[in-house]
Amino acid sequence: MIRAEVTALARSERGFRATWNGESIDAAAVVLACGIVDTHPPFQEWRGAVADGLLRTAPSVTLRIAVVGPLDQAAAKALFLRGYSRDVTLLATRLNRDNLKPGLAEAGVHLVKASDLSLRRVGHKLEAIYEGRTVEFDVIYPAMGAEVRSQLALSLGAAHTEQDYLEVDDHQRTSVAGLYTPDLPIAVVSSTE
């Protein structure tokens, strides 16, 4: 096992050549496990809040939930989390009224413009400060997008979505022969036997 971050991936006679810090190795096949890096809300103490369960990326039954992010990215998560709580607020950091997502009001999700949002920890809760208001929540879920780390596959010409998620079949094969991914970040586009 070699602990390193591969910085380049190219085709070679054996299949692929992975390069890091001036060193390289050839391999017949590659499994990419680059993942994604979530974008966090404006909150310096986000690591501690994640460790204490105040800031989450997976659902949990709680009393009062806020979802933070641009409306187009956060609406689906807010609707999903509405199944876990009667009190869900979507704090839209970017709100385009022309692109309002249907179903938010009908599902009981409170939509709030929060373009100047900041967060603060108060005991075992988080406060959202926006538009001159301060509101306390039991838990906050960021839905602010992510950095998709698919550059190595893209450098080989792998098929991908507009957001750079790799397109794979149901066996995790990319469009580049011998190049596979684990289960994320992907967009399954075909079924093969």
Side-chain angles (χ1 to χ4, degrees):
M1 176 150 77
I2 301 169
R3 292 189 177 272
E5 181 176 343
V6 173
T7 54
L9 190 60
R11 286 296 210 168
S12 72
E13 288 180 17
R14 289 197 53 214
F16 300 93
R17 172 165 288 147
T19 304
W20 67 95
N21 295 335
E23 297 185 45
S24 64
I25 190 170
D26 287 340
V30 173
V31 176
L32 291 174
C34 301
I36 62 173
V37 178
D38 288 320
T39 302
H40 295 283
F43 182 42
Q44 289 184 357
E45 299 177 57
W46 71 266
R47 282 186 176 90
V50 168
D52 292 339
L54 299 173
L55 190 64
R56 299 177 185 225
T57 56
S60 172
V61 178
T62 61
L63 298 174
R64 191 157 201 213
I65 294 174
V67 178
V68 173
L71 178 61
D72 59 342
Q73 294 177 3
K77 185 173 261 189
L79 287 169
F80 172 75
L81 289 169
R82 180 59 181 87
Y84 292 88
S85 173
R86 292 182 183 173
D87 191 349
V88 176
T89 300
L90 193 164
L91 300 172
T93 57
R94 190 174 60 239
L95 179 64
N96 182 347
R97 293 260 176 218
D98 296 336
N99 294 330
L100 282 179
K101 302 295 180 194
L104 289 173
E106 293 82 1
V109 173
H110 309 289
L111 177 60
V112 175
K113 180 182 176 187
S115 56
D116 62 342
L117 176 74
S118 65
L119 301 177
R120 162 173 74 204
R121 186 175 181 157
V122 179
H124 295 290
K125 306 249 183 200
L126 288 176
E127 286 183 341
I129 300 102
Y130 58 91
E131 310 295 325
R133 298 182 60 203
T134 301
V135 181
E136 190 174 84
F137 294 97
D138 296 307
V139 65
I140 293 179
Y141 290 85
M144 304 185 73
E147 172 196 353
V148 180
R149 297 174 44 130
S150 57
Q151 299 89 341
L152 295 173
L154 298 182
S155 74
L156 295 171
H160 56 89
T161 67
E162 266 185 48
Q163 298 81 24
D164 290 340
Y165 287 91
L166 299 178
E167 294 180 358
V168 300
D169 63 19
D170 57 351
H171 295 284
Q172 302 306 116
R173 293 180 286 211
T174 70
S175 61
V176 177
L179 185 64
Y180 302 84
T181 70
D183 58 355
L184 289 174
I186 59 164
V188 177
V189 294
S190 67
S191 179
T192 61
E193 294 301 317

